[in-house]
């Protein structure tokens, strides 16, 4: 066989080409109605009976012949006699054959045993449901290619339908590839990765109405890969291969598929997600998705979801789109569509957005994304302040109920989100980790609701030499949250024993530094200046990490020998720790936000026993902060 196309094309064009070349052949099956929820009809469904099947009372009251009630007035009530003129009747009861109207029981006055009075005449068929009023025999209940909803089940049963013909669910093979992959229940050693993309694929496939067939990990071996694809093509309707789709020495997917069938496309003009392989083997679609999670998940939605929709002949509504103002620039490159994961929030009446990390392997950027920004092929990006349209991946209501935070990194503060959700369902906290001053600046410019700043406690100011470090927070409400201990961390205690920061910087150890603008960086710079040490001679001085946890992880994995950070982070990774000083972590917010409903719920969560317990269980943390709130 041969390769059809090697030049990257836009996603929409690639999908069109794939659907044109493969054979989608759905099958039909009959299933009981009570098992049909979310299934898709393969043919029109007609009512077999009428509902109601007879004239029935629509109200509780008395059934009468309308002619008998003529002449009744408030001044001259008409007396009716049970058995002769009326019968008592309840809602839904069949109408007596000799009666054609119902008088509501509220309009009937009992004057004796079996004797009532009415003050108004009845009209023919008043308060009577006619046969077939809801559903009439032969009426179309559901069209073909309709996804059956709970309310549809009631209509089908009411129409006498006991079985419905639906499209079978497509069976989709999921084949993760890579010799480095291990089962998720294993403990990975160095160089091994738990296989989790396949579980994500399976969950999406079930959500989209397919049957995932997870076929296990296939090593980087052409013969093994071919065997797996052959088996999957024979037994399944669609095949997904994960990883091995790029140009590396162990990326065998394109070559194997080219020998087995027809590679329609290798690569699309999209970032992330470029190294996609679209192929046809025995007429069935085979899609090779990139190994990086973000690329894989986006490609899954671009190509696999539409194939499933095509199978059923059902197409979902496009996601909601909103216009937002960018708070920071977003760069693109001509030649490919850029799909940027975005954080979105509402400040007042305006929606603001900023990009999350662009790296294709960062799974959490998909978890935290509120929307997607598409930068067209011909665009190079957008400047801060520009209004752009985003596709929402969370609902507008969720975004409207999100409190935007910007400020210093912390390991306890994210836990406040769960507590906040418990106090006010629907309310959430979205954290953008910057530096404290940057967070305050964002707050003053109206780009977030609250900001977090970590400052040395009063006893440490002179030691650190920070005479003007405190940011300008005039006219802001602030709440001290906790104290936290910061210092040096290393894998071995002997690296820290009896040493100062200047000693560590002159020892040839690889340093992971903190970003400029934080108290730990100011401490280190003060040490170097005091000892007249040139920062350029310190190994790793310019390598910085804003996340305390990632800093500790780098030391634990041996990427760095020493780093500055939180005692809590060092404890989590089992590192040696040498304390330097305590920081006070404070939240700042406008007084107007503190007085708002979201602000009040936030402050209530902060003062809660649940949050206090979270602080107390974290090493190096204490709630004993000075009383500076207000």
């Amino acid at each position: 066989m041969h390769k059809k196309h090697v030049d990257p094309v836009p996603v929409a064009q690639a999908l069109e080409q794939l659907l044109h070349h493969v054979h989608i052949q759905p099958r039909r099956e009959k299933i009981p109605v009570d098992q049909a929820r979310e299934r898709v009809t393969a043919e029109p469904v007609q009512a077999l009976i009428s509902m109601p099947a007879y004239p029935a009372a629509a109200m509780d009251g008395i059934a009468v012949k309308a002619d008998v009630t003529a002449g009744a007035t408030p001044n001259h009530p008409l007396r009716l006699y049970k058995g002769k003129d009326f019968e008592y009747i309840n809602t839904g009861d069949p109408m007596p054959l000799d009666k054609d109207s119902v008088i509501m029981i509220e309009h009937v006055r009992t004057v004796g045993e079996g004797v009532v009075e009415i003050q108004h005449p009845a009209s023919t068929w008043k308060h009577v449901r006619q046969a077939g009023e809801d559903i009439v025999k032969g009426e179309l209940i559901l069209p073909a290619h309709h996804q059956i909803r709970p309310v549809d089940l009631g209509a089908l049963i009411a129409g006498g339908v006991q079985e419905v013909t639906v499209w079978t669910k497509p069976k989709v093979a999921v084949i993760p590839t890579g010799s480095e992959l291990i089962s998720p229940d294993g403990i990975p050693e160095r160089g091994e990765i738990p296989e989790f993309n396949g579980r994500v694929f399976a969950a999406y496939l079930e959500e989209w109405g397919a049957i995932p067939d997870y076929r296990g990990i296939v090593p980087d071996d052409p013969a093994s890969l071919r065997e797996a694809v052959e088996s999957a093509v024979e037994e399944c309707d669609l095949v997904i291969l994960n990883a091995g789709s790029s140009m590396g020495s162990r990326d065998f997917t394109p070559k194997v598929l080219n020998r087995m069938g027809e590679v329609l496309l290798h690569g699309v003009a999209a970032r992330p997600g470029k190294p996609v392989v679209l192929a046809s083997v025995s007429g069935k679609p085979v899609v090779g998705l990139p190994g990086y999670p973000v690329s894989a998940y986006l490609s899954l939605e671009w190509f696999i979801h539409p194939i499933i929709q095509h199978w059923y002949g059902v197409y979902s509504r496009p996601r909601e789109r909103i216009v937002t103002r960018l708070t920071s620039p977003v760069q693109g490159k001509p030649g490919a569509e850029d799909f940027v994961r975005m954080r979105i929030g509402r400040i007042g009446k305006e929606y603001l957005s900023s990009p999350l990390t662009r790296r294709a392997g960062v799974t959490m950027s998909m978890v935290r994304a509120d929307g997607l920004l598409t930068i067209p092929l011909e665009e190079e990006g957008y400047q801060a302040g520009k209004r752009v349209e985003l596709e929402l991946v969370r609902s507008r209501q969720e975004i409207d109920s999100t409190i935007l935070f910007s400020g210093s990194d912390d390991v306890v503060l994210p836990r406040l989100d769960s507590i906040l959700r418990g106090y006010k369902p629907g309310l959430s906290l979205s954290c953008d980790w910057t530096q404290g001053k940057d967070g305050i600046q964002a707050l003053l410019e109206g780009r977030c609701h609250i900001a977090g700043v970590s400052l040395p406690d009063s006893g440490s100011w002179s030691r650190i030499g920070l005479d003007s470090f405190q940011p300008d927070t005039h006219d802001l409400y602030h709440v001290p949250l906790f104290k936290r201990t910061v210092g040096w961390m290393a894998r071995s205690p002997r690296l820290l024993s009896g040493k100062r920061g200047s000693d560590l910087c002159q020892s040839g150890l690889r340093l992971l530094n903190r970003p400029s603008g934080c108290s730990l960086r100011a401490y280190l710079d003060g040490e170097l200046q005091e000892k007249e040490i040139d920062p350029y001679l310190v190994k790793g001085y310019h390598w910085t990490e804003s996340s305390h946890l990632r800093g500790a992880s780098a030391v634990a994995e041996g990427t760095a020998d020493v780093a500055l950070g939180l005692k809590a982070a060092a404890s989590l990774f089992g590192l040696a720790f040498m304390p330097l000083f305590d920081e006070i972590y404070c939240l700042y917010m406008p007084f107007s936000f503190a007085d708002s409903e979201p602000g009040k719920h936030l402050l209530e969560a902060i003062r809660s026993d649940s949050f206090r317990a979270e602080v107390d269980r974290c090493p190096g943390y204490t709630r004993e902060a000075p009383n500076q709130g207000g």
Side-chain angles (χ1 to χ4, degrees):
M1 296 293 180
H2 62 282
K3 185 179 290 187
K4 187 84 175 180
H5 201 305
V6 295
D7 297 328
V9 299
V11 169
Q13 183 179 335
L15 175 61
E16 182 179 354
Q17 187 167 337
L18 174 64
L19 292 176
H20 178 73
H21 282 86
V22 298
H23 304 296
I24 307 295
Q25 298 179 318
R27 299 170 297 280
R28 302 167 186 240
E29 64 176 338
K30 278 192 174 183
I31 61 173
V33 167
D34 59 6
Q35 298 175 16
R37 185 174 65 88
E38 295 187 350
R39 299 298 297 272
V40 178
T41 55
E43 58 187 37
V45 185
Q46 293 180 316
L48 302 179
I49 61 173
S50 295
M51 174 57 66
Y54 44 77
M59 296 286 179
D60 295 335
I62 59 173
V64 299
K65 187 76 173 174
D67 293 346
V68 174
T69 65
T73 68
N75 293 330
H76 298 89
L78 180 66
R79 288 196 172 187
L80 302 176
Y81 296 89
K82 186 177 182 299
K84 175 188 176 186
D85 303 315
F86 78 91
E87 298 290 347
Y88 286 105
I89 198 166
N90 294 317
T91 302
D93 287 348
M95 289 291 292
L97 294 178
D98 62 339
K99 302 294 188 286
D100 61 10
S101 186
V102 173
I103 300 174
M104 296 172 59
I105 196 66
E106 295 91 332
H107 300 161
V108 175
R109 187 170 76 91
T110 300
V111 294
E113 184 68 29
V115 182
V116 299
E117 284 185 349
I118 60 171
Q119 296 183 356
H120 300 280
S123 57
T124 304
W125 302 121
K126 181 73 171 179
H127 301 313
V128 176
R129 298 184 67 204
Q130 295 299 321
E133 178 183 291
D134 184 5
I135 298 171
V136 65
K137 182 179 179 179
E139 179 181 2
L140 180 69
I141 299 177
L142 297 176
H145 304 288
H146 173 87
Q147 188 169 35
I148 298 173
R149 305 163 298 173
V151 67
D152 299 327
L153 298 176
L156 291 169
I157 294 171
V161 178
Q162 298 181 5
E163 288 187 327
V164 61
T165 301
V166 297
W167 297 115
T168 59
K169 292 185 176 185
K171 188 176 180 181
V172 183
V174 177
I175 306 175
T177 71
S179 299
E180 75 282 7
L181 299 178
I182 66 169
S183 174
D185 55 7
I187 300 176
E189 298 181 357
R190 190 172 184 83
E192 294 181 333
I193 301 173
E195 198 293 299
F196 57 85
N197 278 351
R199 271 61 177 184
V200 176
F201 296 168
Y204 274 119
L205 291 169
E206 288 180 345
E207 182 178 303
W208 296 335
I211 300 174
D213 182 10
Y214 186 84
R215 303 178 75 87
I217 299 167
V218 175
D220 292 317
D221 171 64
S224 299
L225 183 59
R226 182 182 182 109
E227 181 181 350
V229 173
E230 285 178 344
S231 173
V233 168
E234 183 177 342
E235 299 173 11
C236 299
D237 302 297
L238 166 63
V239 179
I240 299 174
L241 297 171
N242 186 215
S245 63
S246 192
M247 296 292 191
S249 60
R250 295 192 298 172
D251 292 327
F252 301 117
T253 295
K255 296 177 182 178
V256 169
L257 295 182
N258 196 43
R259 295 190 188 102
M260 298 180 66
E262 184 177 24
V263 172
L264 306 171
L265 280 170
H266 184 195
V268 293
R271 280 187 299 261
K274 182 178 179 180
V276 171
V277 179
L278 306 180
S280 173
V281 177
S282 300
K284 294 183 179 180
V286 180
V287 180
L289 301 180
Y292 276 134
V294 175
S295 299
Y297 306 158
L298 290 175
S299 301
L300 190 79
E301 188 164 350
W302 294 337
F303 300 109
I304 305 303
H305 193 195
I307 292 175
I308 295 172
Q309 291 179 319
H310 193 77
W311 174 281
Y312 288 125
V314 173
Y315 298 92
S316 58
R317 293 179 180 178
R319 289 188 179 124
E320 183 181 3
R321 306 182 74 87
I322 63 171
V323 175
T324 72
R325 179 169 61 86
L326 292 174
T327 59
S328 57
V330 182
Q331 299 300 320
K333 292 181 181 179
E337 293 177 290
D338 282 279
F339 295 85
V340 186
R341 287 84 69 200
M342 304 291 289
R343 176 181 185 245
I344 308 172
R346 181 176 176 178
I347 306 290
K349 296 183 179 180
E350 185 178 33
Y351 288 98
L352 306 177
S353 62
S354 59
L356 296 166
T357 178
R358 303 282 291 275
R359 295 192 294 273
V362 182
T363 309
M364 289 303 296
S365 68
M366 291 293 286
V367 174
R368 294 173 177 144
D370 301 310
L372 290 173
L373 169 65
T374 302
I375 304 177
L377 288 165
E378 65 277 6
E379 289 284 350
E380 295 187 1
Y382 304 114
Q383 296 300 314
K386 183 173 179 60
R387 297 190 180 277
V388 294
E389 188 177 56
L390 304 184
E391 177 186 13
L392 294 184
V393 297
R394 285 206 305 156
S395 71
R396 187 188 292 256
Q397 183 179 11
E398 288 178 290
I399 291 170
D400 289 348
S401 300
T402 298
I403 297 173
L404 295 182
F405 164 92
S406 181
S408 301
D409 177 61
D410 186 67
V411 299
V412 170
L413 193 60
R415 304 177 195 179
L416 183 60
D417 179 37
S418 297
I419 298 170
L420 182 62
R421 291 169 187 256
Y423 270 85
K424 179 64 176 177
L427 200 60
S428 63
L429 180 67
S430 176
C431 296
D432 179 25
W433 304 118
T434 60
Q435 296 306 307
K437 285 186 176 181
D438 296 332
I440 293 295
Q441 188 64 34
L443 186 63
L444 296 176
E445 293 176 359
R447 293 187 277 116
C448 63
H449 298 104
I450 59 176
V453 179
S454 57
L455 296 171
D457 66 11
S458 57
S460 304
W461 285 80
S462 58
R463 287 192 288 128
I464 302 173
L466 297 175
D467 297 327
S468 59
F469 188 74
Q470 188 160 3
D472 182 8
T473 56
H474 64 285
D475 297 331
L476 292 176
Y477 184 92
H478 81 286
V479 182
L481 293 184
F482 39 70
K483 283 185 178 181
R484 59 184 199 175
T485 302
V486 295
W488 287 100
M489 60 181 80
R491 278 178 294 171
S492 171
R494 65 178 180 78
L495 293 180
L496 303 177
S497 179
K499 296 177 181 177
R500 296 184 56 181
S502 56
D503 300 325
L504 295 171
C505 291
Q506 290 180 301
S507 62
L509 297 174
R510 295 166 300 168
L511 167 70
L512 177 55
N513 206 353
R514 297 288 297 165
S516 178
C518 69
S519 59
L520 278 170
R521 175 63 173 266
Y523 150 78
L524 181 61
D525 289 345
E527 282 265 309
L528 297 179
Q529 184 176 5
E530 180 184 341
K531 298 295 184 179
E532 298 182 348
I533 299 173
D534 185 351
Y536 284 91
L537 300 179
V538 178
K539 187 181 295 185
Y541 176 84
H542 295 288
W543 178 30
T544 63
E545 175 54 66
S546 60
S547 164
H548 289 283
L549 291 177
R550 282 196 288 270
S553 176
V555 174
E557 291 300 319
T559 308
D561 297 314
V562 291
L564 290 160
L566 292 171
K567 179 179 180 179
S571 177
L572 181 64
F573 284 87
L575 301 176
F577 183 77
M578 182 173 70
L580 291 173
F581 53 86
D582 287 339
E583 293 179 333
I584 300 173
Y585 198 102
C586 294
L587 282 188
Y588 291 84
M589 64 193 77
F591 281 91
S592 59
F593 180 77
D595 291 334
S596 69
E597 285 303 309
K600 290 177 181 177
H601 288 301
L602 175 66
L603 293 174
E604 184 179 4
I606 289 171
R607 299 184 184 110
S608 69
D609 291 339
S610 298
F611 186 60
R612 181 181 296 275
E614 291 290 348
V615 173
D616 290 343
R617 70 167 56 102
C618 203
Y621 277 70
T622 175
R623 285 282 296 236
E624 296 175 1
N627 184 18
Q628 302 176 38

